[in-house]
Amino acid sequence: MAEKSYYDILGLSEKATDEEIKNTYRKLAKQYHPDLHPGDEEAAKKFKEINLAYETLSDPKKRQQYDAMRAGGGAFGGFGGGGFSAGGFDDLSSIFEMFMGGGGRRSSSRTAKGNDIKASVTLSFEEACKGVSKEIPVTRQESCIYCNGTGAKDGKEYTTCSSCKGSGQTRRVQQTIFGQTVSTGSCPTCNGTGRIIKE
């Protein structure tokens, strides 16, 4: 028999809003809380399932990963009641690294554009109250002026990698005892850049 999905555990549809997930979780957590059912193994098990389902579905990133794995035919069974065992995996990224070669993350050679720049500044109490102007040195990444960040002469001497079609990623689908898994990793031909440098 197939394991229940986290949506089934909470009695929700896959289109449930964050508010619906939160309200349903609160209601079920009160209903099955171990303090209200001392010594009841079934209630304790149900409470753990509810917490695990809520922990995944209430976090947008984990929910997206969970939905993607379910859509791809990935199996969540075999790790304890309803999914992952409580002590087995602290978060879904462990599973993706284990079964999907890093969960489809891009190679470190590509820098995400638009990341926030952070700086720490120490202020005295007086400065915080009255206000102060300070110069703060900030380190940030910029594209190379010679290759425009491509690594190729004049920013033009490259071709699109034919192995990954410029995505920098390769995918491999295989059957395992846990079901079908999709491994995603950096393209070995272009080292995850999506380009073959001519010069």
Side-chain angles (χ1 to χ4, degrees):
M1 187 170 115
E3 295 284 351
K4 282 186 180 180
S5 76
Y6 290 155
Y7 295 102
D8 291 338
I9 289 168
L10 296 180
L12 295 168
S13 78
E14 293 179 16
K15 295 179 180 174
T17 64
D18 293 341
E19 193 64 28
E20 289 172 323
I21 291 169
K22 184 164 60 172
N23 291 338
T24 302
Y25 165 73
R26 286 181 178 167
K27 180 180 154 194
L28 291 172
K30 284 180 186 175
Q31 183 180 346
Y32 291 99
H33 198 282
D35 291 347
L36 300 175
H37 305 279
D40 186 342
E41 293 286 323
E42 278 301 310
K45 182 181 175 188
K46 182 77 174 168
F47 185 74
K48 282 182 185 178
E49 285 181 346
I50 291 164
N51 276 319
L52 193 57
Y54 178 71
E55 184 182 308
T56 301
L57 299 181
S58 65
D59 181 311
K61 185 177 177 186
K62 289 182 182 179
R63 183 177 181 182
Q64 184 180 17
Q65 291 174 335
Y66 176 74
D67 289 343
M69 190 167 204
R70 288 184 70 227
F76 274 74
F79 294 104
F84 306 110
S85 63
F89 299 97
D90 291 329
D91 78 61
L92 290 176
S93 63
S94 301
I95 277 291
F96 280 88
E97 287 174 17
M98 193 167 143
F99 292 111
M100 301 215 172
R105 283 178 285 171
R106 294 270 179 199
S107 165
S108 59
S109 63
R110 287 192 178 186
T111 305
K113 291 184 179 178
N115 283 347
D116 290 337
I117 296 175
K118 298 178 183 178
S120 295
V121 180
T122 303
L123 300 175
S124 68
F125 179 72
E126 186 178 344
E127 289 173 333
C129 291
K130 293 183 178 180
V132 66
S133 292
K134 291 189 175 200
E135 283 193 24
I136 304 166
V138 176
T139 304
R140 65 187 179 98
Q141 293 185 341
E142 287 186 7
S143 294
C144 170
I145 60 171
Y146 302 107
C147 71
N148 200 24
T150 63
K153 182 179 179 182
D154 299 325
K156 299 173 185 170
E157 296 298 317
Y158 66 87
T159 58
T160 301
C161 176
S162 59
S163 296
C164 66
K165 310 289 188 259
S167 71
Q169 300 281 297
T170 55
R171 291 173 43 122
R172 188 178 63 171
V173 180
Q174 67 183 95
Q175 293 288 359
T176 69
I177 58 170
F178 299 111
Q180 186 179 27
T181 59
V182 181
S183 300
T184 307
S186 292
C187 174
T189 307
C190 64
N191 293 321
T193 63
R195 306 179 189 106
I196 302 296
I197 308 290
K198 292 180 184 175
E199 187 177 345

